[in-house]
């Protein structure tokens, strides 16, 4: 994924298919190592992470890596409307550093862009072509921090965010949810699951929403539909079919403001709702279609075969004007450019796994063997018009100077990426004390980039061996110290605008140590992690508003996270993150990386009345602290001033009140940024306002 978010080209948007032959027969032919009865890992802890960290069910307290999880209850509790809102109260994650966008999600994990997955399948993003999951269709969101290439292939070193879709339930259930709120929010959602036959069940999730953006004259309308069916083919075999359709239509939010008027208000402040684009021309039309299946077959008492296949299609029409990022205090008049995209992306992913469980006298062992295939094609007409789109007064915008754009000048581009991976992971637990995990993976990646504008038609072939290992001690008192090592690599599609050559693979290494605490008397967990990350061939911003590869990035820090059910009525969640990210992109030694605060902290408390006349009343409140950060400024002569922009820290207060006022009925009110604070979230060439006060009221009926 090209991490362009802090530049002109992709600051506004963060982010083919060939038939793949099933590999079931190949994996099924692997020898059976043992015939002892299958024994799953013990899940005595209250909170269990499934699917992200180890691709096998492992209790959170026995996962030798930093992992965070947000379940459906928390998504509802916080009235999450965008995926990047889901992890505000978790350690190691910086969300919405580029402000509140209406058509993109913004994540940084341990100082790096995160790789996004849906049900364990990579969501490929190329420039402005991004996949945005609908939170109403999710069961949970999981984060594995640090490199995940061993199990997931090429990916950035910061971490993996995996969204888990809702799927059919064994017990019939239904939900009708109505929401209204600030910025003319109107949303209705339906979620129904029931039996089809004695051996099959279905789930249907549907949603329609309308909401204005934070900028004047911006909006987004959404239609979402996600059916799924589970078939119990036999007592050993199950098949789940999943599909989704999402269509967004609106005027995109482009909340990228000049330094003067935001961070520096000596000449007057630009109102956070000011639209410096061209709302009568700008347009975002995005259609996402996904279809696939998950197959699980118990071969015998030891071995289980799993196959996960997904096809994703994303069609995009984007017309987006933007202002130049020059650091110029002498005038409020700024030039404008334009980004034009009309194309689509197609991707196919297939993950085949053989999982074996067996015991010896002193050990419990789990062996995971896998083969996965990925193919991604991005093709379309595009144009990056750096200027010539008229000028605009940042204090008093007038849209009459827009000259229009000749769409026939757009040129063809196509990028293709194919990956084949073979991986293995062996977990050994002995004497109920020690947990040793080792893994390795070999990948072959082919990229093909065609750019009519740059006159390029290049193919690139890369291969990489990645290793990982960890050791954890399981004490009787619930303390579980661990050490871990992991490697990552990432292949970037596209051509470096500065060198006109294909991007080189990015490589990362992680050293991590920590301790997890989940005693039997505590309904919850407390996790501490210390990490040291390094990435080479890293992307860095340039004064021309693009990104090039220029060296090394290091990230070192501490993460502390806990969630405890203190009483039957009270649950407390707290997190703290220290992250020190440095880059040597200037050629003058290490400097502090832009955008990333050294300190983050959050706390959320939730109390629900259990008895009495107001039984069912629920109160929740939390604070989020984001420390100061730095950014780069650039003058009209393209001179860059690294670290010149100093963004102060900010603290935001959120609150919630809910009431189960009748059988199966619930009303809820959420207010984020309760005090309505106006603050700058971060700066790097541009500055980005944080989300203003947001109010969401809901009423729902469950059955």
């Amino acid at each position: 994924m090209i991490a362009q978010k802090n530049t002109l080209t992709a600051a506004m948007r963060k982010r083919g298919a060939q038939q793949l032959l099933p590999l079931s027969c190949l994996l099924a032919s692997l020898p059976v190592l043992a015939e002892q009865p299958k024994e799953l890992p013990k899940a005595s802890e209250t909170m269990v992470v499934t699917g992200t960290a180890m691709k096998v069910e492992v209790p959170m307290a026995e996962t030798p890596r930093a992992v965070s999880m947000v379940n459906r209850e928390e998504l509802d509790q916080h009235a999450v409307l965008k995926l990047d809102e889901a992890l505000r109260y978790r350690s190691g994650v910086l969300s919405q550093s580029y402000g509140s966008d209406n058509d993109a999600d913004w994540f940084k994990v341990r100082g790096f862009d995160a790789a996004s997955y849906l049900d364990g399948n990579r969501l490929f993003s190329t420039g402005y072509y991004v996949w945005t999951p609908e939170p109403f269709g999710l069961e949970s969101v999981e984060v594995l921090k640090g490199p995940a290439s061993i199990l997931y292939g090429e990916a950035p070193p910061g971490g993996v965010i995996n969204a888990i879709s809702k799927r059919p339930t064994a017990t019939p259930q239904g939900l009708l949810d109505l929401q209204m709120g600030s910025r003319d929010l109107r949303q209705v959602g339906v979620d129904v699951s029931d039996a089809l036959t004695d051996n099959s069940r279905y789930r249907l999730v549907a949603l329609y929403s309308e909401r204005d953006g934070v900028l004047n004259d911006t909006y987004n309308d959404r239609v979402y539909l996600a059916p799924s069916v589970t078939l119990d083919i036999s007592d050993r075999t199950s098949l789940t079919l999943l599909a989704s359709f999402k269509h967004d239509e609106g005027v995109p939010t482009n909340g990228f403001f000049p330094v003067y008027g935001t961070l520096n208000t000596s000449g007057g402040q630009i109102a956070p709702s000011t639209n410096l684009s061209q709302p009568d021309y700008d347009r975002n039309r995005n259609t996402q279609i996904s279809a696939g299946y998950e197959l699980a077959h118990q071969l015998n008492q030891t071995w289980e075969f799993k196959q996960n296949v997904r096809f994703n299609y994303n069609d995009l029409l984007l017309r987006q004007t933007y202002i130049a990022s020059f650091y110029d205090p002498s005038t409020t008049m700024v030039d404008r450019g334009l980004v034009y995209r009309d194309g689509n992306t197609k991707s196919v992913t297939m993950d085949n796994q053989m999982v074996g469980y067996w015991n010896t006298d002193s050990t419990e062992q789990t062996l995971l063997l896998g083969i996965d295939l990925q193919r991604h094609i991005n093709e379309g007409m595009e144009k990056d018009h750096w200027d010539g789109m008229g000028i605009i007064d940042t204090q008093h915008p007038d849209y009459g100077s827009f000259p229009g754009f000749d769409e026939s000048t757009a040129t063809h581009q196509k990028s293709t990426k194919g990956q084949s991976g073979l991986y293995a992971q062996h977990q050994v637990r002995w004497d109920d004390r020690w947990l040793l995990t080792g893994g390795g993976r070999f990948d072959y990646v082919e990229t093909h980039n065609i750019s009519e504008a740059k006159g390029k038609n290049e193919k690139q072939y890369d291969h990489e061996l990645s290793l990982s290992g960890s050791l954890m001690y399981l004490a009787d008192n619930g303390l579980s110290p661990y050490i871990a090592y992991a490697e990552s690599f990432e292949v970037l599609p596209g051509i470096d605008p500065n060198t006109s050559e294909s991007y080189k693979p990015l490589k990362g290494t992680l050293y991590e140590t920590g301790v997890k605490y989940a005693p039997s008397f505590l309904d919850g967990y407390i996790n501490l992690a210390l990490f040291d990350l390094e990435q080479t061939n890293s992307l860095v911003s340039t004064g021309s508003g693009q990104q090039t590869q220029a060296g090394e990035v290091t990230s070192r820090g501490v993460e502390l996270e806990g969630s405890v059910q203190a009483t039957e009525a009270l649950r407390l969640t707290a997190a703290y993150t220290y992250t020190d990210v440095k880059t040597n992109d200037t050629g003058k030694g290490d400097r502090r990386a832009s955008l990333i605060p050294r300190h983050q902290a959050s706390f959320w408390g939730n109390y629900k009345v259990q008895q009495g006349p107001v039984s069912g009343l629920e109160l929740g409140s939390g604070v989020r602290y984001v420390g100061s950060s730095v950014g780069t400024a650039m003058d009209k002569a393209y001179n860059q001033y690294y670290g010149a922009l100093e963004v102060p820290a900010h603290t935001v207060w959120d609150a919630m009140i809910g009431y189960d006022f009748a059988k199966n009925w619930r009303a809820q009110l959420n207010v984020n940024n309760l005090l309505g604070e106006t603050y700058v979230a971060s700066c790097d060439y541009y500055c980005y306002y944080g989300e203003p006060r947001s109010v969401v009221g809901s009423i729902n009926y469950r059955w």
Side-chain angles (χ1 to χ4, degrees):
M1 177 181 68
I2 301 178
Q4 300 176 329
K5 297 187 298 185
N6 58 337
T7 67
L8 281 171
T9 300
M12 296 165 274
R13 303 295 162 266
K14 183 185 169 187
R15 345 228 167 262
Q18 296 181 350
Q19 295 291 327
L20 298 175
L21 297 176
L23 301 177
S24 312
C25 296
L26 173 63
L27 289 174
S29 66
L30 291 170
V32 176
L33 299 182
E35 293 294 333
Q36 288 84 356
K38 173 183 174 181
E39 185 172 322
L40 295 174
K42 299 177 181 179
S44 58
E45 287 74 18
T46 303
M47 305 186 70
V48 177
V49 176
T50 60
T52 291
M54 303 304 212
K55 282 194 175 181
V56 293
E57 184 173 335
V58 180
M60 178 179 277
E62 298 180 12
T63 303
R65 290 280 297 278
V67 180
S68 294
M69 175 177 160
V70 179
N71 58 27
R72 185 67 246 176
E73 181 182 0
E74 291 179 277
L75 293 174
D76 291 336
Q77 187 180 87
H78 294 282
V80 171
L81 299 176
K82 291 175 75 266
L83 187 63
D84 55 12
E85 300 174 0
L87 300 166
R88 289 170 167 173
Y89 289 91
R90 294 294 185 269
S91 66
V93 182
L94 176 67
S95 63
Q96 294 189 322
S97 54
Y98 300 88
S100 181
D101 207 329
N102 62 359
D103 63 343
D105 295 313
W106 304 111
F107 290 109
K108 297 278 190 182
V109 180
R110 292 183 171 178
F112 297 90
D113 293 319
S116 297
Y117 286 74
L118 179 64
D119 301 320
N121 301 280
R122 181 70 179 268
L123 297 175
F124 289 93
S125 296
T126 302
Y128 297 88
Y129 296 86
V130 322
W131 190 282
T132 54
E134 166 52 50
F136 187 72
L138 303 180
E139 196 63 48
S140 63
V141 181
E142 304 171 346
V143 185
L144 171 62
K145 303 162 193 176
S149 290
I150 301 303
L151 298 179
Y152 293 95
E154 54 96 18
V160 164
I161 295 175
N162 188 28
I164 308 298
S165 302
K166 291 178 177 177
R167 51 207 65 208
T169 59
T171 303
Q173 63 176 34
L175 168 67
L176 174 63
D177 184 72
L178 303 175
Q179 292 189 345
M180 298 184 69
S182 56
R183 308 205 304 271
D184 288 333
L185 170 66
R186 295 180 295 272
Q187 178 171 298
V188 56
V190 178
D191 180 3
V192 180
S193 183
D194 204 346
L196 286 171
T197 67
D198 291 342
N199 298 316
S200 63
R201 51 202 174 276
Y202 77 93
R203 191 162 187 171
L204 180 64
V205 182
L207 174 138
Y208 175 78
S209 71
E210 301 175 352
R211 195 182 198 190
D212 293 340
V214 296
L215 304 185
N216 297 330
D217 302 314
T218 63
Y219 71 93
N220 189 71
D221 296 344
R222 173 171 295 178
V223 176
Y224 174 78
L225 183 66
S228 57
V229 176
T230 295
L231 307 173
D232 297 324
I233 300 174
S234 71
D235 58 352
R236 290 188 168 193
T237 307
S238 67
L239 176 67
T240 298
L241 308 174
L242 301 110
S244 67
F245 169 87
K246 182 169 77 70
H247 179 76
D248 288 324
E249 184 90 33
V251 175
T253 292
N254 180 12
F256 299 86
F257 292 89
V259 175
Y260 280 90
T262 54
L263 184 65
N264 188 320
T265 59
S266 59
Q269 183 176 20
I270 303 172
S273 61
T274 304
N275 192 338
L276 300 177
S277 299
Q278 192 69 22
D280 59 352
Y281 175 81
D282 289 359
R283 183 181 183 186
N284 178 71
R285 187 184 69 200
N286 193 327
T287 301
Q288 297 176 178
I289 300 173
S290 175
Y293 66 86
E294 297 173 355
L295 173 68
H297 176 64
Q298 194 74 40
L299 296 172
N300 51 43
Q301 291 182 315
T302 300
W303 288 99
E304 181 181 18
F305 171 73
K306 298 179 180 180
Q307 187 176 71
N308 188 354
V309 177
R310 197 66 57 93
F311 168 78
N312 291 331
Y313 174 81
N314 182 10
D315 184 85
L316 174 68
L317 173 62
L318 176 67
R319 301 187 300 203
Q320 176 84 71
T321 52
Y322 60 85
I323 63 168
S325 62
F326 297 129
Y327 186 80
D328 187 0
S330 66
T331 179
T332 61
M333 307 298 293
V334 294
D335 296 322
R336 294 193 298 178
L338 180 140
V339 169
Y340 178 86
R341 298 290 187 272
D342 185 3
N344 60 73
T345 63
K346 307 179 186 73
S347 63
V348 176
T349 60
M350 173 185 287
D351 186 17
N352 303 271
Q353 304 173 26
M354 286 286 289
V355 187
Y357 305 86
W358 69 94
N359 300 335
T360 66
D361 291 340
S362 59
T363 66
E364 301 173 13
Q365 303 194 44
T366 303
L367 178 62
L368 170 65
L369 304 173
I371 299 175
D372 60 20
L373 303 174
Q374 303 176 12
R375 185 166 180 84
H376 173 65
I377 298 176
N378 170 226
E379 184 173 18
M381 305 299 292
E382 66 178 41
K383 182 72 173 183
D384 294 302
H385 208 301
W386 305 114
D387 53 22
M389 292 296 111
I391 60 174
I392 195 167
D393 190 333
T394 60
Q395 295 290 338
H396 307 284
D398 181 355
Y399 307 108
S401 68
F402 183 67
F405 172 65
D406 184 2
E407 297 180 2
S408 67
T409 62
T411 57
H412 174 259
Q413 68 81 28
K414 182 178 181 181
S415 59
T416 303
K417 179 164 66 175
Q419 175 181 308
S420 304
L422 177 67
Y423 62 90
Q425 177 179 269
H426 193 188
Q427 298 172 280
V428 181
R429 176 173 175 163
W430 77 93
D431 292 335
D432 273 338
R433 297 288 186 192
W434 296 94
L435 186 64
L436 176 66
T437 303
R441 178 187 182 97
F442 179 80
D443 277 286
Y444 176 80
V445 182
E446 176 183 343
T447 57
H448 186 192
N449 299 304
I450 300 174
S451 174
E452 185 177 300
K454 295 181 172 64
K456 289 289 183 177
N457 188 336
E458 293 186 350
K459 290 187 177 180
Q460 182 174 328
Y461 306 92
D462 298 282
H463 58 84
E464 191 69 26
L465 176 66
S466 305
L467 303 174
S468 71
S470 63
L471 179 65
M472 173 179 273
Y473 180 77
L474 308 173
D476 290 335
N477 60 4
L479 283 172
S480 301
Y482 69 92
I483 56 174
Y485 171 83
E487 299 173 347
S488 73
F489 82 104
E490 182 180 12
V491 176
L492 302 178
I495 296 171
D496 190 317
N498 278 31
T499 66
S500 296
E501 305 291 336
S502 296
Y503 285 110
K504 301 175 183 178
L506 284 69
K507 298 183 179 181
T509 57
L510 165 73
Y511 296 91
E512 180 175 318
T513 185
V515 61
K516 302 193 175 189
Y517 186 54
S520 58
F521 63 84
L522 185 69
D523 186 4
Y525 67 90
I526 301 172
N527 297 336
L528 172 67
L530 290 80
F531 63 89
D532 187 336
L533 268 171
E534 181 180 296
Q535 183 190 65
T536 56
N537 297 330
S538 302
L539 289 177
V540 297
S541 302
T542 69
S544 62
Q546 303 180 56
Q547 287 203 326
T548 189
Q549 293 182 291
E552 180 181 280
V553 176
T554 60
S555 176
R556 299 179 176 90
V558 179
E559 295 164 353
L560 179 63
E561 180 179 309
S563 183
V564 177
Q565 190 74 41
T567 69
E568 186 179 0
L570 179 64
R571 186 158 198 98
L572 306 173
T573 301
Y576 169 76
T577 305
Y578 172 80
T579 311
D580 184 20
V581 185
K582 294 182 179 178
T583 176
N584 63 356
D585 57 349
T586 65
K588 300 178 181 180
D590 291 342
R591 70 173 182 90
R592 184 179 175 186
S594 300
L595 299 166
I596 309 302
R598 286 197 172 102
H599 301 277
Q600 290 178 257
S602 64
F603 174 82
W604 179 270
N606 203 79
Y607 183 85
K608 188 169 186 179
V609 180
Q610 303 295 307
Q611 304 176 25
V614 292
S615 174
L617 177 67
E618 187 174 8
L619 301 173
S621 184
V623 291
R624 294 177 279 127
Y625 170 83
V626 178
S628 61
S629 61
V630 301
T632 300
M634 178 180 65
D635 61 25
K636 285 191 173 183
Y638 296 98
N639 296 308
Q640 300 183 68
Y641 304 92
Y642 299 98
L645 307 179
E646 299 182 4
V647 182
H650 62 269
T651 302
V652 178
W653 182 19
D654 305 325
M656 180 275 290
I657 181 170
Y659 186 46
D660 301 326
F661 61 91
K663 184 179 180 180
N664 300 334
W665 286 92
R666 178 177 174 86
Q668 184 171 306
L669 180 69
N670 289 78
V671 185
N672 293 325
N673 192 359
L674 181 65
L675 301 181
E677 296 287 340
T678 298
Y679 62 94
V680 175
S682 60
C683 293
D684 196 34
Y685 297 96
Y686 296 95
C687 287
Y688 320 98
Y689 280 115
E691 186 182 30
R693 180 189 291 117
S694 173
V695 181
V696 177
S698 64
I699 184 170
N700 60 63
Y701 176 75
R702 297 180 183 270
W703 67 92

